[in-house]
Amino acid sequence: MFTYTVSVSTGKQEFAETINDIYLTLVGTESCSDRTLLDKSVVDHFARGSVVSVDINVKEILGDIVLVKLEKEKILFNDHWYCRSISVTTPSGDCVQFPCYRWIDFEKEVVLRDDKDRLSQDDNMKEYRRMELESRQLLFRWKEWHPGFPMSIDANSSTELPLDIQFEAAKSVDFSLNYITAIKNLGLNKFLKLSSWKDVADFEKIFVKIKNTVSEYVMQNWNKDYFFGYQFLNGCNPVVIRKCMNLPDKFAVTQEMVQGSLDRGLTLQEELKTGNIYIADYAILAGVQANATDPDTKQYLAAPFCLLYKNSQNEILPIAIQLSRQTTAGVGNTVFLPSDNQYDWMLAKMWVKYADFSVHQLVTHLLRTHLISEVFAIAMYRQLAAVHPVFKLLIPHVRFTIAINTAAREKLICKSGLFDKANGTGGIGIAEVIQKAMKTLTYKSLCFPEAMKARGVDNKEDLPNYYYRDDGMMVWEAVKSFVSDVVKIYYGSDETVQEDEEIQAFVQDVCFSGMKNCPKDCEFPNSLKTREQLVEYLTVVIFTASAQHAAVNFGQFDWFAWIPNSPSTMRKPPPTQKGQVDMKYIMDSLPDRGRSSWHLGAVWALSQYQDEELFLGVYPDKHFTEQSVIEATKTFRKKLGEVINIIKSRNEKLKLPYCYLSPDRIPNSVAI
């Protein structure tokens, strides 16, 4: 008799008193063990974080252990338990690891491969690889949730998702409960009655229980032009501002209008050529139907232009705002200026921030982090085997993404969902904005350096104090360096990339299935020819899910809590003439008490980290065991630590620190 000791490491479940029969089979190169029923007394000891061991006796040596097969029967009820990994100690004393990191449900058979990483072309067990992917493709099916959107998972509710990608606690994705809890915790229940505020100062009433340095700074400085401009660089939507070399045709601004705002003694045309003029253009909102889900309250949208000027003190200041875009200049194309009366200028800036909030919510945040990351996640599960090194590289960065998006489609952005309660782009507007944004979405716009260059904001000397850009570049380079190290370990040449059928299938699935509603010129690769292309692609996947999402998500409460700074809707039409606005009109335009409360509860809930959040570079599940990758991961963490220190040192000198892209504040994945 020969004895193999099998150690099973469990996790996540608190206890497992009712686990049904579990069978285990060892498969070696020479032979396999009998299907062995794990002793019930051993199974009953399965608990969170425990390790239990059993001996399997065989009559002959099995050879090299290459597979472990698990089966769990379903009797009267279905139960499940989480297996972290299995190790097998052979009679000679060798120990072979079999990573699992999945829930074991009632299934015919779960086959675990050993911990060696294998490209598809180098695997001598292709049949098991094929069976694994075919099984996953049945679970991870594409579905068009709404015409014109990126494709999503084929599931109508969170409970329909594969067990391995569900949230561990249902309350984590109960948006209704989270919003109501937030409203209660923030002391907002008394404000839910739908009536207008009387004065801007009234909004301070909903700050009673708020202790937040940034949001309080916003409350104190929101109406100052320098701070209005600052938010285009380092607020919650720092991706709209772009250098303006030529004024848009429908923008009726003239030299005479802005001359008093230019402090270098140059004309507007000269400032344009010099590169000191920037613009925020919300053309995507033109023609979008405002939220009409509440028949008692009419809501309005606009598609503003906002011209910004970098003055001699390197401040970004608004110098002209136009709220409409008629085909010809006229009364409808009124240009509001800092020299106008305080109410005209205040309301014009509010309309810009309202447009900015709307674009942030649906384009910057929802589409360009959540939905894009889900496409990458689904394609990964469908096309990359668990032993593929790229699967192991990416899996921490897709954690809970499909689950949070499914919950959002179920309760948040669905018809009559929670998004409709406070937002002017609710209702049909959600689909209209996403569909328009998809028509201009490109792969290169997800490459951080390319995105900066395309907007003309990549030069630090031209545009200083752009911390989103500066920190983003550091994190991008750290991620890219790590990905490059891993790619070089497994891909010895460009030909190796070309021969990897699973990688090619992965990018094809993203291009032809997940992003099929993008235009033909969207540039999403349908194949990868070089290691350099593979590195960039994987950097995009990781950066989008981690850093980009962190930059545009976790500051929502900071920047949007003070309602006048970022209204979620407007209840009066945008002004078309000057001198007709007073404070009452402004207060009647801003969200009423009920919508303000829902808005505040929403941005608070969305800004919270998950319980037991895992931050960038923290990978507790040991998918990789190759020493070279372990060393690359250590190097990655060291570089991230250096970035943290640089950001911390800079922030100590700032009145308002910028922390959203500090790696210790960046979760690995889109999970909220």
Side-chain angles (χ1 to χ4, degrees), residues 416-655:
S416 301
L418 291 169
F419 191 85
D420 290 351
K421 286 185 176 292
N423 297 287
T425 45
I428 195 173
I430 296 175
E432 290 181 344
V433 174
I434 296 287
Q435 289 165 346
K436 288 176 114 181
M438 280 288 284
K439 293 178 181 178
T440 59
L441 178 64
T442 65
Y443 167 72
K444 283 297 183 183
S445 70
L446 301 176
C447 301
F448 193 80
E450 298 280 349
M452 296 300 107
K453 189 177 296 184
R455 291 192 287 115
V457 295
D458 53 313
N459 190 307
K460 287 187 179 183
E461 294 183 2
D462 281 356
L463 188 59
N465 307 321
Y466 193 4
Y467 309 126
Y468 163 75
R469 173 202 59 207
D470 300 342
D471 298 355
M473 285 300 301
M474 288 191 292
V475 176
W476 172 273
E477 290 301 327
V479 172
K480 185 178 179 181
S481 178
F482 172 54
V483 171
S484 180
D485 288 344
V486 174
V487 166
K488 287 176 183 176
I489 290 168
Y490 297 100
Y491 295 88
S493 65
D494 292 342
E495 288 72 26
T496 316
V497 175
Q498 297 166 22
E499 294 165 0
D500 188 342
E501 294 179 354
E502 289 182 9
I503 279 293
Q504 301 302 332
F506 169 54
V507 298
Q508 287 168 11
D509 215 6
V510 170
C511 179
F512 296 129
S513 297
M515 302 304 297
K516 73 174 188 177
N517 288 326
C518 275
K520 291 182 179 179
D521 59 353
C522 68
E523 302 170 340
F524 274 87
N526 58 30
S527 66
L528 298 175
K529 304 295 185 184
T530 67
R531 291 188 296 178
E532 183 180 358
Q533 290 176 348
L534 177 59
V535 168
E536 181 184 73
Y537 196 93
L538 299 179
T539 303
V540 164
V541 176
I542 295 172
F543 186 88
T544 300
S546 57
Q548 185 60 23
H549 179 257
V552 303
N553 180 74
F554 293 103
Q556 290 191 71
F557 186 75
D558 292 346
W559 296 101
F560 300 155
W562 179 247
I563 308 295
N565 185 61
S566 288
S568 58
T569 190
M570 283 290 197
R571 297 176 296 135
K572 290 285 187 181
T576 58
Q577 298 181 42
K578 300 182 182 184
Q580 298 184 347
V581 169
D582 57 14
M583 182 54 73
K584 184 179 185 307
Y585 188 92
I586 290 176
M587 299 314 298
D588 288 344
S589 297
L590 289 171
D592 54 39
R593 294 171 184 243
R595 286 180 177 81
S596 297
S597 299
W598 276 107
H599 166 85
L600 195 56
V603 297
W604 184 88
L606 293 172
S607 299
Q608 304 307 303
Y609 291 106
Q610 287 290 332
D611 294 338
E612 301 180 9
E613 189 70 83
L614 298 175
F615 294 94
L616 190 58
V618 177
Y619 308 126
D621 291 349
K622 297 179 181 178
H623 292 283
F624 283 112
T625 57
E626 295 281 350
Q627 190 58 37
S628 53
V629 183
I630 293 173
E631 291 301 319
T633 305
K634 289 180 181 177
T635 301
F636 180 38
R637 289 181 185 144
K638 182 180 178 182
K639 288 182 178 178
L640 293 175
E642 293 169 355
V643 174
I644 292 170
N645 290 334
I646 292 171
I647 292 173
K648 182 180 179 181
S649 177
R650 178 204 62 212
N651 283 343
E652 289 173 351
K653 305 169 188 174
L654 299 178
K655 288 183 180 179

Side-chain angles (χ1 to χ4, degrees), residues 312-432:
S312 57
Q313 283 76 48
N314 287 323
E315 294 174 322
I316 299 296
L317 301 174
I319 59 173
I321 293 172
Q322 180 178 302
L323 301 179
S324 62
R325 43 184 77 214
Q326 306 295 328
T327 54
T328 57
V331 70
N333 277 341
T334 300
V335 178
F336 294 92
L337 305 169
S339 56
D340 293 339
N341 77 63
Q342 61 171 326
Y343 298 124
D344 283 344
W345 186 234
M346 178 189 294
L347 185 56
K349 289 189 292 182
M350 285 179 174
W351 270 97
V352 172
K353 292 308 301 291
Y354 167 37
D356 193 72
F357 174 83
S358 301
V359 170
H360 166 271
Q361 290 292 304
L362 296 180
V363 182
T364 308
H365 184 211
L366 176 61
L367 172 61
R368 296 180 66 89
T369 63
H370 278 260
L371 301 185
I372 294 294
S373 291
E374 181 177 2
V375 167
F376 290 135
I378 296 171
M380 183 204 77
Y381 279 113
R382 287 173 52 83
Q383 305 300 344
L384 299 179
V387 296
H388 198 294
V390 172
F391 180 92
K392 297 184 178 186
L393 178 69
L394 295 185
I395 194 163
H397 301 287
V398 302
R399 178 176 180 254
F400 298 147
T401 298
I402 299 174
I404 195 68
N405 286 1
T406 301
R409 286 187 288 269
E410 192 178 357
K411 293 185 177 181
L412 187 60
I413 58 172
C414 58
K415 186 176 181 180
S416 301
L418 291 169
F419 191 85
D420 290 351
K421 286 185 176 292
N423 297 287
T425 45
I428 195 173
I430 296 175
E432 290 181 344

Side-chain angles (χ1 to χ4, degrees), residues 127-178:
E127 183 64 17
Y128 284 103
R129 202 167 181 131
R130 181 187 62 78
M131 291 168 60
E132 176 192 1
L133 291 177
E134 287 180 351
S135 175
R136 286 226 223 104
Q137 287 164 9
L138 293 174
L139 291 173
F140 293 85
R141 304 176 304 276
W142 294 109
K143 179 182 179 180
E144 187 176 57
W145 181 70
H146 201 289
F149 279 46
M151 297 289 277
S152 55
I153 192 77
D154 184 7
N156 295 318
S157 69
S158 300
T159 57
E160 294 180 11
L161 295 173
L163 201 56
D164 287 323
I165 63 170
Q166 291 185 25
F167 272 102
E168 292 154 25
K171 62 183 176 65
S172 298
V173 290
D174 191 336
F175 287 110
S176 300
L177 176 62
N178 290 350

